[in-house]
Amino acid sequence: MHTARVTDLERVLTPGGRTTTGIAFDDEGSGPPIVLVHAGVADRRMWDDLVARLGGRHRLIRHDDRGVGESLPPTGPWCHHTDLIELLDELLVPRAHLVGASMGAGIAAEAALARPGLAASLTLVAPGGALLDGTPDTFRPIWAAEVDALDRGDIDAAVEINLRAWVDGPRRGPDAIDPEVRSFIGRMQRDAFELPEWDPEVAPEHELAPPAARRIPELACPVLVIAGDADDPAILDLGNRIAADAPDGRLIVWPDVGHMLSLERPAEFADLLASFVATAG
């Protein structure tokens, strides 16, 4: 008797789960897989709208990085990109379109470099994290103010500092953002701040070596960088450098949009991503 074979790309999966190392994830929809890596001020909930828009055409895989959302603390040495690769290994996904926002863009790029052939394409949204070659001067006062607020136990102030920096941006006020979007990002950031910390000596974090920031020319897949012109200038400079150095890279800059552009313009972002993935695929 002939039994129909259902491939990984065709099956519709039940969302939700945890990897053997404690990474919380959702796996929804059917079609060519797209992997979504969230920004540092968010968790995997930031992709809710995108999953609703593209789930009928794609398999959408998203996870919480260590230190946010529902993922468990590490119990030994760890790194973000190996957490991502191990997730895809457990889901039997050998190749996918990788999408990363902000810090998540660095994680996606690290995974693509650590395992050549994993990335069918890379979409880097307001790229940062491991793709930054050093700390931009404009970031230092933001991080210092956040640490000071958290040391005082003032989570409200720490959340607002991040909203001002990574949602409003350096040239806009809070009134430029949809209040529901701003509130949503604020809730995700607050939830992260309220999670217990772990001992970094017991569970130290490692990044890719050599670092991703110096290996952009090794990204052999199609690379799309999307940035908003209301973002920090360092992010726009980085986007230009990635698009110039990647063998098949291009940059799109949206006017009047900040760092969290996929949440500011969700419909346009979904359309652009779907078009790029179709072409890259």
Side-chain angles (χ1 to χ4, degrees), residues 8-279:
D8 289 329
L9 296 184
E10 293 169 340
R11 60 198 172 111
V12 178
L13 298 124
T14 303
R18 257 201 199 101
T19 67
T20 55
T21 60
I23 296 297
F25 68 92
D26 292 319
D27 186 353
E28 303 163 80
S30 62
I34 297 177
V35 177
L36 306 167
V37 191
H38 63 78
V41 294
D43 55 45
R44 73 187 195 272
R45 289 175 290 178
M46 75 167 280
W47 304 114
D48 285 351
D49 182 88
L50 183 66
V51 169
R53 293 176 187 274
L54 298 186
R57 290 175 280 168
H58 285 276
R59 177 181 178 183
L60 284 305
I61 300 166
R62 51 183 170 149
H63 72 293
D64 287 331
D65 294 333
R66 305 277 184 189
V68 301
E70 298 175 322
S71 287
L72 301 180
T75 56
W78 67 283
C79 51
H80 284 299
H81 73 272
T82 55
D83 282 339
L84 174 57
I85 291 172
E86 288 169 0
L87 165 63
L88 297 181
D89 284 346
E90 289 194 26
L91 295 177
L92 304 177
V93 177
R95 185 169 171 83
H97 300 278
L98 305 185
V99 180
S102 188
M103 183 184 78
I107 297 169
E110 285 185 310
L113 290 165
R115 180 170 291 179
L118 172 63
S121 71
L122 269 175
T123 302
L124 307 176
V125 185
L131 289 166
L132 288 164
D133 192 5
T135 303
D137 291 340
T138 51
F139 288 18
R140 297 181 189 278
I142 299 167
W143 291 346
E146 176 192 298
V147 169
D148 180 63
L150 292 174
D151 285 347
R152 300 193 313 268
D154 192 345
I155 292 180
D156 287 341
V159 169
E160 185 61 24
I161 288 163
N162 279 277
L163 292 177
R164 288 288 298 119
W166 307 119
V167 180
D168 307 343
R171 297 190 291 104
R172 304 187 300 179
D175 58 344
I177 314 300
D178 181 335
E180 291 187 5
V181 170
R182 203 173 189 276
S183 175
F184 175 47
I185 298 169
R187 289 197 304 275
M188 290 188 285
Q189 179 67 94
R190 170 177 282 280
D191 288 346
F193 282 147
E194 291 179 341
L195 288 173
E197 297 182 354
W198 58 80
D199 186 345
E201 293 186 3
V202 174
E205 178 186 357
H206 299 284
E207 291 187 346
L208 186 67
R214 301 174 190 176
R215 297 172 61 182
I216 304 304
E218 296 178 36
L219 295 173
C221 65
V223 177
L224 173 64
V225 184
I226 312 170
D229 72 353
D231 202 348
D232 189 293
I235 300 297
L236 292 166
D237 289 345
L238 176 58
N240 276 291
R241 180 172 67 82
I242 294 170
D245 291 350
D248 186 6
R250 66 185 176 109
L251 170 68
I252 294 176
V253 178
W254 281 353
D256 304 319
V257 182
H259 195 66
M260 302 297 286
L261 60 88
S262 67
L263 292 174
E264 282 196 59
R265 296 188 181 173
E268 295 94 326
F269 180 78
D271 289 345
L272 177 59
L273 177 61
S275 175
F276 173 64
V277 163
T279 302

